[in-house]
Amino acid sequence: QVQLVESGGGLVQPGGSLRLSCAASGSIFSGYNMGWYRQAPGKEREFVARITNDGSTNYADSVKGRFTISRDDAKSTVYLQMNSLKPEDTAVYYCYAFYLATKYWGQGTQVTVSS
């Protein structure tokens, strides 16, 4: 069982930045593929970014060039650096870990981009 705890959400003005963190339990974090999804009100959950256990990354087109995913295996933590935020980035952001064909989810953290 993998447990995930997100933090770092909040209210930010358009053009601002936030860094989300996701701390994972388990002694084999380095073996997990990690990533982020988000869900805006009235919309389906959508993919944002992923990072594999060897550090390869992928991004949704809507965030490419603005968001950066990274991981610190020593801290069992994955990060999502979000720059140049837009109102359409407002959503609950969910961290996930994928290991042995199972996807584990965090509880989510709210990001609101508004002036």
Side-chain angles (χ1 to χ4, degrees), residues 28-75:
I28 48 175
F29 177 83
S30 61
Y32 304 160
N33 292 326
M34 304 291 296
W36 295 88
Y37 276 66
R38 66 186 181 187
Q39 187 166 20
K43 295 188 176 181
E44 293 187 354
R45 192 174 294 191
E46 65 174 3
F47 167 75
V48 176
R50 72 169 64 93
I51 185 166
T52 65
N53 55 9
D54 65 359
S56 297
T57 58
N58 295 95
Y59 298 91
D61 288 343
S62 59
V63 307
K64 204 171 292 184
R66 300 188 298 122
F67 291 11
T68 302
I69 189 169
S70 61
R71 62 190 295 158
D72 185 337
D73 289 350
K75 296 182 178 179

Side-chain angles (χ1 to χ4, degrees), residues 81-99:
Q81 178 67 44
M82 305 186 295
N83 299 328
S84 302
L85 283 161
K86 306 174 181 180
E88 51 263 43
D89 294 318
T90 295
V92 177
Y93 283 70
Y94 296 90
C95 169
Y96 76 86
F98 186 78
Y99 184 68

